[in-house]
Amino acid sequence: MMALQQASAFLVLFLAALLLPPQCAQDPAMVHYIYQRFQVLEQGLEKCTQATRAYIHDFQEFSKNISVMLGRCQTSTSEYRSAVANLALRVERAQREIDYLEYLREADICLESEDKTLAEKLIQEAEEEKKIRTLLNASCDNMLMGIKSLKIVKKTMDTHGSWMKDAASSSQKVYFLIGSRNKTLWEFANMRAFMEDSTKPAPRKLILTHSWQGTGQVIHKGFLFFHNQGTLNEIIKYNLQKRTVEDRMLLPGGAGRALVYQHSPSTYIDLAVDEHGLWAIHAGPGISGHLVLTKIEPGTLGVEHSWDTPCRSQDAEAAFLLCGVLYVVYSSGGHGPHRVTCVYDPLGTIGEEDLPKLFFPRRPRSHSVIHYNPRDKQLYAWNDGNQIIYKLQTKRKQPLE
């Protein structure tokens, strides 16, 4: 430090001698003033140098600390990334486990739902079978085995029509309905009066309030049931004694949209009566739709039950019921042979394999109608203007298990 001060003093004297005029350079006061000022300047430079050194040192420390911190940050970032990646893997694994548990839960729910649905279906089927057995519990255990004989009772010029007795009455009256669209009904006192036009008393002429459609009419306990002409599916219950409409109903299930039998060109709804009561037969949807069988409560005209049968409308010409079993008569082109080739039993006690070949005597045309009468156990048919009675051969059905 002393050497620096001496050097400074020498430098001041040298500069004074060099820069100042000769008379000023010899003035001690002036030289002293310059020295002092230079010394102040020197001190300022020294402080600046020290401050610069301090700044440099601080910056070096700061840079060192930053480097250390950056290193730590990089280390922390790497560790953080590794932790995040590990956490993501754990979350993904947990999600897979949750998805699997959810799948198992849904599978259990589905199995429970399927088991419940199956159980409900079995219960429903059992209740349905019980209902059907209750509905068809009349003391009737006969099944058709063959056609014993044919008797032509009367012959008219009319191709289509129907004739019958009251299927649930002891009355001997015979009813004669000519044509597939008409409102005039003839009532004969008995079969002899029907067969012989000259026999007294003369038939009673009844003009109905509505016309019938087709040949599917039946008479049950003094009431005529028929398909109302001009309607799709309206069934009328007509009181023959009062000559008034007692009640009416709309037959459900798409009834009346297609011919019930291919070879019966005007009948859309065929009604029938057997030991169990009143039935309706109509064709389901489609060109060769299957027949639908409906049980009707004749008192209230309420639908008791309906069945979709395997019997087709195509090539069919007529059908009838006997002891709750539907027998459908078919013919090729409507010209025979006429035979029963489809049988439907709602109780499942008999099938086609249980029956012999059921042929009707050969006729030149298809039947306009074939209806069973449960009182005298005969078929009343209309074929090419002939009113025919078919006597039947039956046997007992196998009892239900």
Side-chain angles (χ1 to χ4, degrees):
M1 186 67 182
M2 183 64 72
L4 180 61
Q5 292 179 347
Q6 291 178 356
S8 299
F10 176 77
L11 180 60
V12 169
L13 293 175
F14 175 76
L15 290 175
L18 181 63
L19 298 175
L20 293 176
Q23 60 273 15
C24 293
Q26 298 299 321
D27 186 354
M30 181 61 69
V31 173
H32 182 69
Y33 172 77
I34 292 173
Y35 177 75
Q36 287 180 339
R37 297 299 296 172
F38 187 80
Q39 194 173 23
V40 171
L41 178 62
E42 187 179 48
Q43 290 175 354
L45 288 174
E46 180 65 23
K47 289 180 179 180
C48 182
T49 300
Q50 291 178 358
T52 300
R53 288 176 180 174
Y55 290 147
I56 291 173
H57 180 266
D58 292 342
F59 181 78
Q60 289 175 344
E61 290 295 326
F62 174 76
S63 177
K64 182 178 179 182
N65 292 335
I66 290 297
S67 297
V68 173
M69 292 176 66
L70 287 175
R72 291 177 180 175
C73 184
Q74 290 177 354
T75 302
S76 299
T77 301
S78 177
E79 293 176 354
Y80 173 74
R81 288 177 179 175
S82 176
V84 169
N86 184 46
L87 180 60
L89 291 175
R90 294 175 63 186
V91 170
E92 182 179 358
R93 188 182 302 113
Q95 185 63 47
R96 288 198 301 268
E97 292 176 354
I98 291 173
D99 292 341
Y100 179 68
L101 292 175
E102 181 68 17
Y103 166 76
L104 293 178
R105 187 183 71 85
E106 291 180 355
D108 291 340
I109 292 175
C110 289
L111 289 175
E112 291 177 1
S113 177
E114 289 177 359
D115 292 341
K116 183 178 179 181
T117 302
L118 179 59
E120 290 176 349
K121 183 178 180 181
L122 292 175
I123 293 174
Q124 184 179 2
E125 289 178 352
E127 291 177 349
E128 191 76 10
E129 183 178 356
K130 182 179 179 181
K131 178 182 176 182
I132 293 173
R133 292 193 180 193
T134 303
L135 182 65
L136 305 179
N137 66 350
S139 57
C140 178
D141 57 0
N142 290 330
M143 59 183 288
L144 182 62
M145 294 303 295
I147 309 299
K148 288 201 303 184
S149 64
L150 169 151
K151 180 180 180 180
I152 298 178
V153 176
K154 192 181 184 70
K155 182 174 178 62
T156 65
M157 300 301 295
D158 302 286
T159 305
H160 301 288
S162 63
W163 73 291
M164 68 206 72
K165 288 183 178 180
D166 191 326
S169 169
S170 59
S171 172
Q172 296 300 313
K173 293 179 180 179
V174 177
Y175 297 91
F176 193 53
L177 294 81
I178 301 173
S180 58
R181 293 176 181 86
N182 202 344
K183 61 193 303 184
T184 302
L185 177 147
W186 296 91
E187 179 187 277
F188 293 83
N190 49 48
M191 185 64 72
R192 182 179 178 183
F194 176 69
M195 295 173 62
E196 302 174 5
D197 294 336
S198 60
T199 303
K200 301 296 183 180
R204 186 167 69 122
K205 182 179 181 181
L206 302 178
I207 306 297
L208 308 179
T209 56
H210 299 73
S211 296
W212 64 74
Q213 169 70 45
T215 58
Q217 306 84 18
V218 295
I219 295 178
H220 184 269
K221 294 184 178 180
F223 295 96
L224 172 67
F225 296 85
F226 62 92
H227 179 198
N228 187 16
Q229 182 186 359
T231 68
L232 183 66
N233 58 344
E234 185 178 63
I235 306 299
I236 285 184
K237 177 182 179 181
Y238 189 85
N239 191 318
L240 293 175
Q241 184 177 1
K242 297 179 181 179
R243 301 190 182 187
T244 58
V245 173
E246 188 80 9
D247 202 354
R248 61 185 73 203
M249 69 170 292
L250 296 179
L251 188 64
R257 299 183 182 276
L259 292 173
V260 60
Y261 313 118
Q262 181 183 358
H263 299 310
S264 184
S266 59
T267 303
Y268 290 83
I269 298 174
D270 189 17
L271 300 172
V273 175
D274 73 347
E275 291 81 359
H276 298 293
L278 181 63
W279 302 79
I281 310 164
H282 69 86
I287 298 176
S288 57
H290 292 74
L291 300 182
V292 178
L293 180 64
T294 302
K295 183 72 176 64
I296 301 174
E297 207 293 310
T300 63
L301 290 186
V303 173
E304 295 182 297
H305 204 282
S306 288
W307 296 266
D308 293 323
T309 78
C311 303
R312 297 190 307 167
S313 172
Q314 186 177 8
D315 288 330
E317 63 178 71
F320 57 92
L321 283 109
L322 188 156
C323 288
V325 178
L326 177 68
Y327 298 85
V328 185
V329 182
Y330 293 87
S331 61
S332 177
H335 301 292
H338 314 281
R339 59 174 297 187
V340 174
T341 57
C342 186
V343 177
Y344 178 72
D345 181 7
L347 293 177
T349 57
I350 64 173
E352 295 176 22
E353 65 278 3
D354 302 316
L355 300 172
K357 295 181 179 179
L358 298 174
F359 284 94
F360 282 80
R362 189 174 184 87
R363 303 299 301 167
R365 295 180 183 273
S366 62
H367 291 84
S368 174
V369 66
I370 300 176
H371 278 169
Y372 173 70
N373 188 304
R375 286 182 55 245
D376 55 25
K377 314 297 182 185
Q378 299 180 137
L379 297 179
Y380 288 71
W382 189 301
N383 183 285
D384 194 25
N386 295 294
Q387 289 73 57
I388 302 171
I389 289 179
Y390 292 110
K391 292 187 179 295
L392 306 177
Q393 179 183 357
T394 61
K395 77 171 187 177
R396 294 189 63 182
K397 293 190 292 186
Q398 295 295 325
L400 288 172
E401 297 179 358

